[in-house]
Structure formats: C-alpha cells, structure tokens
Amino acid sequence: MNADQAQTLLAMIVVLGMFVVLALPSLIGAARDRRIDRQIREAQERDRTEAQKSSSRSTVPSTATWYADGRRSKKLVNS
C-alpha cells in the first residue's frame, strides 16, 4: 500500500465517520419516536378494553346516593 492509497483510505474513513456522527442523532430520535408511538397505541388499546369492560358491569349507586335517598324518604314521611 503506497501513500496515495493510505490517504484515500483515511479520507474514506473520515467521511464515513462524519456521516455516522451527523446521522446518529436523527436515527436515535426516529427510534425514540417509534417507541413513544407504540406506547401511546398500547395505552389507547388498554383504555378501550377497560372502557368496554366497565360498560358491561351493572351500575351500583354510591354511598352518597343511598344516603340522599334515605333523607328524602324521611322528609316525605315527616311532612
């Protein structure tokens, strides 16, 4: 290998290294965006399935509703 070939090889390595340094942040950002998009999709699917499960359950009045019903009936009786 003579001096011209060594310089050419060194120049190619430098150019390739510069390309990697310039492209790496972009590739890392794209991978991060894909990961976040996947997490958002999974969360939306989880919310959707939980909403379907909760809508099929029977509704039970809360304690406040029972208390208010009792007070209303007492007022009606006293009147």
Side-chain angles (χ1 to χ4, degrees):
M1 179 180 274
N2 60 21
D4 287 337
Q5 290 175 332
Q7 278 184 331
T8 303
L9 180 62
L10 183 62
M12 286 174 40
I13 291 172
V14 167
V15 168
L16 186 61
M18 288 176 62
F19 176 75
V20 168
V21 167
L22 291 174
L24 192 61
S26 167
L27 296 174
I28 291 172
R32 181 174 177 265
D33 285 346
R34 287 179 54 109
R35 179 177 50 89
I36 291 170
D37 288 343
R38 181 175 38 87
Q39 290 174 345
I40 291 172
R41 272 195 310 274
E42 289 172 358
Q44 286 174 340
E45 289 174 10
R46 191 171 40 243
D47 288 345
R48 210 174 294 129
T49 56
E50 287 176 5
Q52 289 173 351
K53 287 180 184 177
S54 67
S55 66
S56 64
R57 294 182 188 158
S58 63
T59 57
V60 177
S62 67
T63 307
T65 306
W66 287 106
Y67 178 74
D69 286 342
R71 287 184 55 86
R72 274 190 232 119
S73 63
K74 286 180 186 176
K75 286 182 180 178
L76 292 174
V77 172
N78 291 337
S79 298

